[in-house]
PDB file of all heavy atoms in Angstrom:
ATOM      1  N   ALA A 971       0.821  -1.214  -0.002  1.00 89.00           N
ATOM      2  CA  ALA A 971      -0.009  -0.008  -0.007  1.00 89.00           C
ATOM      3  C   ALA A 971       0.852   1.254  -0.002  1.00 89.00           C
ATOM      4  O   ALA A 971       0.558   2.221  -0.715  1.00 89.00           O
ATOM      5  CB  ALA A 971      -0.929  -0.017   1.214  1.00 89.00           C
ATOM      6  N   VAL A 972       1.948   1.254   0.768  1.00 85.00           N
ATOM      7  CA  VAL A 972       2.822   2.411   0.827  1.00 85.00           C
ATOM      8  C   VAL A 972       3.473   2.684  -0.537  1.00 85.00           C
ATOM      9  O   VAL A 972       3.670   3.805  -0.938  1.00 85.00           O
ATOM     10  CB  VAL A 972       3.887   2.213   1.919  1.00 85.00           C
ATOM     11  CG1 VAL A 972       5.026   3.224   1.793  1.00 85.00           C
ATOM     12  CG2 VAL A 972       3.252   2.318   3.295  1.00 85.00           C
ATOM     13  N   ARG A 973       3.751   1.619  -1.273  1.00 85.00           N
ATOM     14  CA  ARG A 973       4.389   1.788  -2.578  1.00 85.00           C
ATOM     15  C   ARG A 973       3.399   2.135  -3.682  1.00 85.00           C
ATOM     16  O   ARG A 973       3.743   2.815  -4.644  1.00 85.00           O
ATOM     17  CB  ARG A 973       5.166   0.531  -2.936  1.00 85.00           C
ATOM     18  CG  ARG A 973       6.346   0.333  -2.016  1.00 85.00           C
ATOM     19  CD  ARG A 973       6.974  -1.017  -2.237  1.00 85.00           C
ATOM     20  NE  ARG A 973       7.948  -1.282  -1.216  1.00 85.00           N
ATOM     21  CZ  ARG A 973       9.252  -1.304  -1.428  1.00 85.00           C
ATOM     22  NH1 ARG A 973       9.727  -1.092  -2.626  1.00 85.00           N
ATOM     23  NH2 ARG A 973      10.071  -1.541  -0.443  1.00 85.00           N
ATOM     24  N   VAL A 974       2.173   1.639  -3.587  1.00 86.00           N
ATOM     25  CA  VAL A 974       1.208   1.827  -4.654  1.00 86.00           C
ATOM     26  C   VAL A 974       0.395   3.097  -4.463  1.00 86.00           C
ATOM     27  O   VAL A 974      -0.023   3.733  -5.440  1.00 86.00           O
ATOM     28  CB  VAL A 974       0.262   0.600  -4.741  1.00 86.00           C
ATOM     29  CG1 VAL A 974      -0.892   0.849  -5.667  1.00 86.00           C
ATOM     30  CG2 VAL A 974       1.064  -0.605  -5.227  1.00 86.00           C
ATOM     31  N   LEU A 975       0.146   3.500  -3.215  1.00 83.00           N
ATOM     32  CA  LEU A 975      -0.688   4.656  -2.943  1.00 83.00           C
ATOM     33  C   LEU A 975      -0.211   5.935  -3.621  1.00 83.00           C
ATOM     34  O   LEU A 975      -1.019   6.632  -4.241  1.00 83.00           O
ATOM     35  CB  LEU A 975      -0.789   4.860  -1.417  1.00 83.00           C
ATOM     36  CG  LEU A 975      -1.947   5.703  -0.933  1.00 83.00           C
ATOM     37  CD1 LEU A 975      -3.270   5.100  -1.378  1.00 83.00           C
ATOM     38  CD2 LEU A 975      -1.916   5.800   0.578  1.00 83.00           C
ATOM     39  N   PRO A 976       1.070   6.280  -3.581  1.00 78.00           N
ATOM     40  CA  PRO A 976       1.507   7.477  -4.294  1.00 78.00           C
ATOM     41  C   PRO A 976       1.260   7.385  -5.806  1.00 78.00           C
ATOM     42  O   PRO A 976       0.964   8.377  -6.450  1.00 78.00           O
ATOM     43  CB  PRO A 976       2.984   7.594  -3.983  1.00 78.00           C
ATOM     44  CG  PRO A 976       3.159   6.839  -2.732  1.00 78.00           C
ATOM     45  CD  PRO A 976       2.147   5.733  -2.768  1.00 78.00           C
ATOM     46  N   LEU A 977       1.413   6.192  -6.356  1.00 76.00           N
ATOM     47  CA  LEU A 977       1.184   6.046  -7.800  1.00 76.00           C
ATOM     48  C   LEU A 977      -0.271   6.296  -8.164  1.00 76.00           C
ATOM     49  O   LEU A 977      -0.571   6.815  -9.235  1.00 76.00           O
ATOM     50  CB  LEU A 977       1.599   4.643  -8.253  1.00 76.00           C
ATOM     51  CG  LEU A 977       3.095   4.335  -8.179  1.00 76.00           C
ATOM     52  CD1 LEU A 977       3.341   2.876  -8.531  1.00 76.00           C
ATOM     53  CD2 LEU A 977       3.864   5.229  -9.110  1.00 76.00           C
ATOM     54  N   THR A 978      -1.164   5.904  -7.310  1.00 81.00           N
ATOM     55  CA  THR A 978      -2.597   6.096  -7.614  1.00 81.00           C
ATOM     56  C   THR A 978      -3.074   7.504  -7.296  1.00 81.00           C
ATOM     57  O   THR A 978      -3.974   8.007  -7.956  1.00 81.00           O
ATOM     58  CB  THR A 978      -3.455   5.082  -6.832  1.00 81.00           C
ATOM     59  OG1 THR A 978      -3.217   5.250  -5.433  1.00 81.00           O
ATOM     60  CG2 THR A 978      -3.120   3.659  -7.239  1.00 81.00           C
ATOM     61  N   LEU A 979      -2.487   8.157  -6.293  1.00 78.00           N
ATOM     62  CA  LEU A 979      -2.927   9.495  -5.910  1.00 78.00           C
ATOM     63  C   LEU A 979      -2.257  10.605  -6.727  1.00 78.00           C
ATOM     64  O   LEU A 979      -2.877  11.639  -6.963  1.00 78.00           O
ATOM     65  CB  LEU A 979      -2.643   9.726  -4.413  1.00 78.00           C
ATOM     66  CG  LEU A 979      -3.442   8.868  -3.447  1.00 78.00           C
ATOM     67  CD1 LEU A 979      -3.036   9.195  -2.028  1.00 78.00           C
ATOM     68  CD2 LEU A 979      -4.928   9.066  -3.632  1.00 78.00           C
ATOM     69  N   LEU A 980      -1.042  10.397  -7.147  1.00 74.00           N
ATOM     70  CA  LEU A 980      -0.291  11.431  -7.861  1.00 74.00           C
ATOM     71  C   LEU A 980      -0.166  11.032  -9.323  1.00 74.00           C
ATOM     72  O   LEU A 980       0.871  10.574  -9.770  1.00 74.00           O
ATOM     73  CB  LEU A 980       1.099  11.615  -7.243  1.00 74.00           C
ATOM     74  CG  LEU A 980       1.139  11.994  -5.769  1.00 74.00           C
ATOM     75  CD1 LEU A 980       2.559  12.000  -5.256  1.00 74.00           C
ATOM     76  CD2 LEU A 980       0.523  13.361  -5.570  1.00 74.00           C
ATOM     77  N   ARG A 981      -1.216  11.258 -10.078  1.00 78.00           N
ATOM     78  CA  ARG A 981      -1.181  10.910 -11.505  1.00 78.00           C
ATOM     79  C   ARG A 981      -0.589  12.020 -12.345  1.00 78.00           C
ATOM     80  O   ARG A 981      -0.016  11.784 -13.388  1.00 78.00           O
ATOM     81  CB  ARG A 981      -2.579  10.580 -11.999  1.00 78.00           C
ATOM     82  CG  ARG A 981      -3.090   9.318 -11.344  1.00 78.00           C
ATOM     83  CD  ARG A 981      -4.430   8.937 -11.852  1.00 78.00           C
ATOM     84  NE  ARG A 981      -4.922   7.818 -11.079  1.00 78.00           N
ATOM     85  CZ  ARG A 981      -5.540   6.786 -11.601  1.00 78.00           C
ATOM     86  NH1 ARG A 981      -5.766   6.776 -12.892  1.00 78.00           N
ATOM     87  NH2 ARG A 981      -5.943   5.808 -10.861  1.00 78.00           N
ATOM     88  N   LYS A 982      -0.702  13.261 -11.886  1.00 81.00           N
ATOM     89  CA  LYS A 982      -0.153  14.378 -12.619  1.00 81.00           C
ATOM     90  C   LYS A 982       1.227  14.718 -12.064  1.00 81.00           C
ATOM     91  O   LYS A 982       1.528  14.390 -10.912  1.00 81.00           O
ATOM     92  CB  LYS A 982      -1.061  15.594 -12.486  1.00 81.00           C
ATOM     93  CG  LYS A 982      -2.443  15.405 -13.071  1.00 81.00           C
ATOM     94  CD  LYS A 982      -3.271  16.640 -12.855  1.00 81.00           C
ATOM     95  CE  LYS A 982      -4.674  16.410 -13.371  1.00 81.00           C
ATOM     96  NZ  LYS A 982      -5.548  17.552 -13.078  1.00 81.00           N
ATOM     97  N   PRO A 983       2.074  15.372 -12.823  1.00 82.00           N
ATOM     98  CA  PRO A 983       3.369  15.794 -12.281  1.00 82.00           C
ATOM     99  C   PRO A 983       3.193  16.776 -11.139  1.00 82.00           C
ATOM    100  O   PRO A 983       2.286  17.620 -11.150  1.00 82.00           O
ATOM    101  CB  PRO A 983       4.054  16.480 -13.480  1.00 82.00           C
ATOM    102  CG  PRO A 983       3.314  16.027 -14.681  1.00 82.00           C
ATOM    103  CD  PRO A 983       1.926  15.680 -14.243  1.00 82.00           C
ATOM    104  N   VAL A 984       4.065  16.688 -10.144  1.00 79.00           N
ATOM    105  CA  VAL A 984       4.011  17.585  -8.991  1.00 79.00           C
ATOM    106  C   VAL A 984       4.619  18.925  -9.408  1.00 79.00           C
ATOM    107  O   VAL A 984       5.769  18.982  -9.856  1.00 79.00           O
ATOM    108  CB  VAL A 984       4.774  16.980  -7.800  1.00 79.00           C
ATOM    109  CG1 VAL A 984       4.794  17.923  -6.629  1.00 79.00           C
ATOM    110  CG2 VAL A 984       4.183  15.643  -7.427  1.00 79.00           C
ATOM    111  N   ARG A 985       3.848  20.002  -9.280  1.00 86.00           N
ATOM    112  CA  ARG A 985       4.312  21.316  -9.705  1.00 86.00           C
ATOM    113  C   ARG A 985       4.763  22.198  -8.529  1.00 86.00           C
ATOM    114  O   ARG A 985       5.477  23.157  -8.720  1.00 86.00           O
ATOM    115  CB  ARG A 985       3.208  22.031 -10.462  1.00 86.00           C
ATOM    116  CG  ARG A 985       2.833  21.300 -11.733  1.00 86.00           C
ATOM    117  CD  ARG A 985       1.973  22.171 -12.613  1.00 86.00           C
ATOM    118  NE  ARG A 985       1.445  21.424 -13.731  1.00 86.00           N
ATOM    119  CZ  ARG A 985       2.072  21.233 -14.873  1.00 86.00           C
ATOM    120  NH1 ARG A 985       3.268  21.731 -15.028  1.00 86.00           N
ATOM    121  NH2 ARG A 985       1.508  20.550 -15.846  1.00 86.00           N
ATOM    122  N   ASN A 986       4.365  21.843  -7.340  1.00 87.00           N
ATOM    123  CA  ASN A 986       4.725  22.609  -6.150  1.00 87.00           C
ATOM    124  C   ASN A 986       6.232  22.433  -5.898  1.00 87.00           C
ATOM    125  O   ASN A 986       6.705  21.299  -5.706  1.00 87.00           O
ATOM    126  CB  ASN A 986       3.909  22.147  -4.960  1.00 87.00           C
ATOM    127  CG  ASN A 986       4.154  23.000  -3.742  1.00 87.00           C
ATOM    128  OD1 ASN A 986       5.112  23.770  -3.647  1.00 87.00           O
ATOM    129  ND2 ASN A 986       3.249  22.856  -2.770  1.00 87.00           N
ATOM    130  N   SER A 987       6.992  23.533  -5.879  1.00 90.00           N
ATOM    131  CA  SER A 987       8.447  23.418  -5.738  1.00 90.00           C
ATOM    132  C   SER A 987       8.849  22.903  -4.348  1.00 90.00           C
ATOM    133  O   SER A 987       9.819  22.140  -4.232  1.00 90.00           O
ATOM    134  CB  SER A 987       9.116  24.765  -5.997  1.00 90.00           C
ATOM    135  OG  SER A 987       8.668  25.721  -5.067  1.00 90.00           O
ATOM    136  N   PHE A 988       8.103  23.293  -3.321  1.00 90.00           N
ATOM    137  CA  PHE A 988       8.414  22.801  -1.975  1.00 90.00           C
ATOM    138  C   PHE A 988       8.215  21.288  -1.900  1.00 90.00           C
ATOM    139  O   PHE A 988       9.073  20.570  -1.385  1.00 90.00           O
ATOM    140  CB  PHE A 988       7.539  23.499  -0.921  1.00 90.00           C
ATOM    141  CG  PHE A 988       7.761  22.953   0.463  1.00 90.00           C
ATOM    142  CD1 PHE A 988       8.886  23.310   1.185  1.00 90.00           C
ATOM    143  CD2 PHE A 988       6.848  22.097   1.039  1.00 90.00           C
ATOM    144  CE1 PHE A 988       9.101  22.818   2.455  1.00 90.00           C
ATOM    145  CE2 PHE A 988       7.039  21.588   2.312  1.00 90.00           C
ATOM    146  CZ  PHE A 988       8.176  21.957   3.019  1.00 90.00           C
ATOM    147  N   LEU A 989       7.104  20.792  -2.412  1.00 83.00           N
ATOM    148  CA  LEU A 989       6.823  19.369  -2.383  1.00 83.00           C
ATOM    149  C   LEU A 989       7.828  18.599  -3.239  1.00 83.00           C
ATOM    150  O   LEU A 989       8.268  17.502  -2.870  1.00 83.00           O
ATOM    151  CB  LEU A 989       5.388  19.098  -2.854  1.00 83.00           C
ATOM    152  CG  LEU A 989       4.889  17.667  -2.742  1.00 83.00           C
ATOM    153  CD1 LEU A 989       4.976  17.175  -1.309  1.00 83.00           C
ATOM    154  CD2 LEU A 989       3.458  17.575  -3.243  1.00 83.00           C
ATOM    155  N   ARG A 990       8.213  19.169  -4.377  1.00 85.00           N
ATOM    156  CA  ARG A 990       9.205  18.503  -5.240  1.00 85.00           C
ATOM    157  C   ARG A 990      10.542  18.379  -4.525  1.00 85.00           C
ATOM    158  O   ARG A 990      11.187  17.348  -4.601  1.00 85.00           O
ATOM    159  CB  ARG A 990       9.360  19.273  -6.552  1.00 85.00           C
ATOM    160  CG  ARG A 990       8.225  19.045  -7.498  1.00 85.00           C
ATOM    161  CD  ARG A 990       8.418  19.893  -8.733  1.00 85.00           C
ATOM    162  NE  ARG A 990       9.645  19.523  -9.415  1.00 85.00           N
ATOM    163  CZ  ARG A 990       9.705  18.970 -10.603  1.00 85.00           C
ATOM    164  NH1 ARG A 990       8.586  18.740 -11.250  1.00 85.00           N
ATOM    165  NH2 ARG A 990      10.845  18.668 -11.142  1.00 85.00           N
ATOM    166  N   SER A 991      10.966  19.431  -3.875  1.00 87.00           N
ATOM    167  CA  SER A 991      12.242  19.370  -3.161  1.00 87.00           C
ATOM    168  C   SER A 991      12.160  18.412  -1.992  1.00 87.00           C
ATOM    169  O   SER A 991      13.109  17.691  -1.692  1.00 87.00           O
ATOM    170  CB  SER A 991      12.679  20.767  -2.695  1.00 87.00           C
ATOM    171  OG  SER A 991      11.799  21.258  -1.712  1.00 87.00           O
ATOM    172  N   PHE A 992      11.016  18.381  -1.306  1.00 86.00           N
ATOM    173  CA  PHE A 992      10.825  17.440  -0.207  1.00 86.00           C
ATOM    174  C   PHE A 992      10.928  15.996  -0.730  1.00 86.00           C
ATOM    175  O   PHE A 992      11.635  15.174  -0.157  1.00 86.00           O
ATOM    176  CB  PHE A 992       9.462  17.675   0.451  1.00 86.00           C
ATOM    177  CG  PHE A 992       9.108  16.651   1.480  1.00 86.00           C
ATOM    178  CD1 PHE A 992       9.678  16.692   2.733  1.00 86.00           C
ATOM    179  CD2 PHE A 992       8.203  15.632   1.190  1.00 86.00           C
ATOM    180  CE1 PHE A 992       9.358  15.743   3.692  1.00 86.00           C
ATOM    181  CE2 PHE A 992       7.878  14.681   2.135  1.00 86.00           C
ATOM    182  CZ  PHE A 992       8.468  14.738   3.381  1.00 86.00           C
ATOM    183  N   LEU A 993      10.253  15.695  -1.802  1.00 80.00           N
ATOM    184  CA  LEU A 993      10.291  14.340  -2.347  1.00 80.00           C
ATOM    185  C   LEU A 993      11.663  13.978  -2.916  1.00 80.00           C
ATOM    186  O   LEU A 993      12.035  12.822  -2.911  1.00 80.00           O
ATOM    187  CB  LEU A 993       9.222  14.205  -3.450  1.00 80.00           C
ATOM    188  CG  LEU A 993       7.773  14.263  -2.958  1.00 80.00           C
ATOM    189  CD1 LEU A 993       6.813  14.265  -4.157  1.00 80.00           C
ATOM    190  CD2 LEU A 993       7.471  13.112  -2.038  1.00 80.00           C
ATOM    191  N   PHE A 994      12.407  14.982  -3.368  1.00 86.00           N
ATOM    192  CA  PHE A 994      13.751  14.718  -3.873  1.00 86.00           C
ATOM    193  C   PHE A 994      14.674  14.242  -2.771  1.00 86.00           C
ATOM    194  O   PHE A 994      15.489  13.351  -2.990  1.00 86.00           O
ATOM    195  CB  PHE A 994      14.312  15.992  -4.518  1.00 86.00           C
ATOM    196  CG  PHE A 994      15.719  15.843  -5.010  1.00 86.00           C
ATOM    197  CD1 PHE A 994      15.963  15.205  -6.219  1.00 86.00           C
ATOM    198  CD2 PHE A 994      16.786  16.341  -4.283  1.00 86.00           C
ATOM    199  CE1 PHE A 994      17.258  15.082  -6.690  1.00 86.00           C
ATOM    200  CE2 PHE A 994      18.080  16.197  -4.730  1.00 86.00           C
ATOM    201  CZ  PHE A 994      18.310  15.560  -5.954  1.00 86.00           C
ATOM    202  N   TYR A 995      14.555  14.804  -1.557  1.00 86.00           N
ATOM    203  CA  TYR A 995      15.467  14.460  -0.465  1.00 86.00           C
ATOM    204  C   TYR A 995      15.013  13.280   0.390  1.00 86.00           C
ATOM    205  O   TYR A 995      15.775  12.824   1.244  1.00 86.00           O
ATOM    206  CB  TYR A 995      15.705  15.689   0.411  1.00 86.00           C
ATOM    207  CG  TYR A 995      16.559  16.727  -0.250  1.00 86.00           C
ATOM    208  CD1 TYR A 995      16.015  17.935  -0.652  1.00 86.00           C
ATOM    209  CD2 TYR A 995      17.892  16.487  -0.519  1.00 86.00           C
ATOM    210  CE1 TYR A 995      16.789  18.883  -1.297  1.00 86.00           C
ATOM    211  CE2 TYR A 995      18.677  17.421  -1.149  1.00 86.00           C
ATOM    212  CZ  TYR A 995      18.121  18.613  -1.543  1.00 86.00           C
ATOM    213  OH  TYR A 995      18.884  19.556  -2.166  1.00 86.00           O
ATOM    214  N   VAL A 996      13.831  12.773   0.208  1.00 85.00           N
ATOM    215  CA  VAL A 996      13.337  11.666   1.023  1.00 85.00           C
ATOM    216  C   VAL A 996      14.244  10.429   0.987  1.00 85.00           C
ATOM    217  O   VAL A 996      14.573   9.863   2.030  1.00 85.00           O
ATOM    218  CB  VAL A 996      11.876  11.327   0.663  1.00 85.00           C
ATOM    219  CG1 VAL A 996      11.454   9.975   1.244  1.00 85.00           C
ATOM    220  CG2 VAL A 996      10.947  12.403   1.169  1.00 85.00           C
ATOM    221  N   PRO A 997      14.722   9.978  -0.178  1.00 84.00           N
ATOM    222  CA  PRO A 997      15.587   8.783  -0.158  1.00 84.00           C
ATOM    223  C   PRO A 997      16.881   9.008   0.594  1.00 84.00           C
ATOM    224  O   PRO A 997      17.340   8.112   1.296  1.00 84.00           O
ATOM    225  CB  PRO A 997      15.871   8.535  -1.647  1.00 84.00           C
ATOM    226  CG  PRO A 997      14.788   9.222  -2.385  1.00 84.00           C
ATOM    227  CD  PRO A 997      14.380  10.387  -1.544  1.00 84.00           C
ATOM    228  N   TYR A 998      17.473  10.185   0.500  1.00 83.00           N
ATOM    229  CA  TYR A 998      18.727  10.463   1.211  1.00 83.00           C
ATOM    230  C   TYR A 998      18.508  10.473   2.716  1.00 83.00           C
ATOM    231  O   TYR A 998      19.326   9.947   3.477  1.00 83.00           O
ATOM    232  CB  TYR A 998      19.318  11.803   0.733  1.00 83.00           C
ATOM    233  CG  TYR A 998      19.591  11.821  -0.744  1.00 83.00           C
ATOM    234  CD1 TYR A 998      18.846  12.615  -1.591  1.00 83.00           C
ATOM    235  CD2 TYR A 998      20.600  11.032  -1.291  1.00 83.00           C
ATOM    236  CE1 TYR A 998      19.095  12.625  -2.968  1.00 83.00           C
ATOM    237  CE2 TYR A 998      20.865  11.057  -2.637  1.00 83.00           C
ATOM    238  CZ  TYR A 998      20.102  11.850  -3.478  1.00 83.00           C
ATOM    239  OH  TYR A 998      20.358  11.868  -4.819  1.00 83.00           O
ATOM    240  N   VAL A 999      17.440  11.091   3.148  1.00 84.00           N
ATOM    241  CA  VAL A 999      17.152  11.148   4.580  1.00 84.00           C
ATOM    242  C   VAL A 999      16.842   9.773   5.111  1.00 84.00           C
ATOM    243  O   VAL A 999      17.316   9.398   6.184  1.00 84.00           O
ATOM    244  CB  VAL A 999      15.971  12.109   4.827  1.00 84.00           C
ATOM    245  CG1 VAL A 999      15.506  12.022   6.275  1.00 84.00           C
ATOM    246  CG2 VAL A 999      16.375  13.528   4.494  1.00 84.00           C
ATOM    247  N   THR A1000      16.122   8.969   4.366  1.00 85.00           N
ATOM    248  CA  THR A1000      15.806   7.606   4.801  1.00 85.00           C
ATOM    249  C   THR A1000      17.060   6.781   4.944  1.00 85.00           C
ATOM    250  O   THR A1000      17.234   6.061   5.932  1.00 85.00           O
ATOM    251  CB  THR A1000      14.834   6.947   3.804  1.00 85.00           C
ATOM    252  OG1 THR A1000      13.673   7.770   3.656  1.00 85.00           O
ATOM    253  CG2 THR A1000      14.416   5.570   4.271  1.00 85.00           C
ATOM    254  N   LEU A1001      17.948   6.889   3.984  1.00 83.00           N
ATOM    255  CA  LEU A1001      19.224   6.154   4.074  1.00 83.00           C
ATOM    256  C   LEU A1001      20.045   6.617   5.250  1.00 83.00           C
ATOM    257  O   LEU A1001      20.626   5.807   5.981  1.00 83.00           O
ATOM    258  CB  LEU A1001      20.002   6.347   2.763  1.00 83.00           C
ATOM    259  CG  LEU A1001      21.346   5.642   2.693  1.00 83.00           C
ATOM    260  CD1 LEU A1001      21.139   4.120   2.761  1.00 83.00           C
ATOM    261  CD2 LEU A1001      22.052   6.003   1.412  1.00 83.00           C
ATOM    262  N   ALA A1002      20.079   7.916   5.487  1.00 84.00           N
ATOM    263  CA  ALA A1002      20.843   8.445   6.623  1.00 84.00           C
ATOM    264  C   ALA A1002      20.267   7.979   7.961  1.00 84.00           C
ATOM    265  O   ALA A1002      21.013   7.604   8.863  1.00 84.00           O
ATOM    266  CB  ALA A1002      20.854   9.966   6.571  1.00 84.00           C
ATOM    267  N   VAL A1003      18.962   7.971   8.076  1.00 86.00           N
ATOM    268  CA  VAL A1003      18.310   7.548   9.323  1.00 86.00           C
ATOM    269  C   VAL A1003      18.592   6.074   9.607  1.00 86.00           C
ATOM    270  O   VAL A1003      18.750   5.667  10.756  1.00 86.00           O
ATOM    271  CB  VAL A1003      16.798   7.842   9.265  1.00 86.00           C
ATOM    272  CG1 VAL A1003      16.049   7.140  10.362  1.00 86.00           C
ATOM    273  CG2 VAL A1003      16.555   9.326   9.327  1.00 86.00           C
ATOM    274  N   MET A1004      18.682   5.281   8.571  1.00 86.00           N
ATOM    275  CA  MET A1004      18.964   3.847   8.780  1.00 86.00           C
ATOM    276  C   MET A1004      20.447   3.591   8.997  1.00 86.00           C
ATOM    277  O   MET A1004      20.825   2.661   9.705  1.00 86.00           O
ATOM    278  CB  MET A1004      18.491   3.035   7.578  1.00 86.00           C
ATOM    279  CG  MET A1004      16.992   3.000   7.422  1.00 86.00           C
ATOM    280  SD  MET A1004      16.425   1.906   6.130  1.00 86.00           S
ATOM    281  CE  MET A1004      17.416   2.332   4.728  1.00 86.00           C
TER     282      MET A1004
END
């Protein structure tokens, strides 16, 4: 569900610059936390 939910909810490209930058850094933060 965690992997499929964003695919079903976000069908259009994300145009909000804050949200785009947030999503860009999520993998790096997740790796750092682990």
Side-chain angles (χ1 to χ4, degrees):
V972 166
R973 292 171 190 251
V974 170
L975 199 58
L977 293 175
T978 58
L979 293 179
L980 301 173
R981 293 182 186 222
K982 297 178 184 176
V984 177
R985 297 193 189 274
N986 186 345
S987 62
F988 176 77
L989 187 57
R990 284 177 61 113
S991 66
F992 174 77
L993 292 174
F994 178 79
Y995 289 110
V996 165
Y998 301 110
V999 170
T1000 304
L1001 181 63
V1003 166
M1004 292 187 311

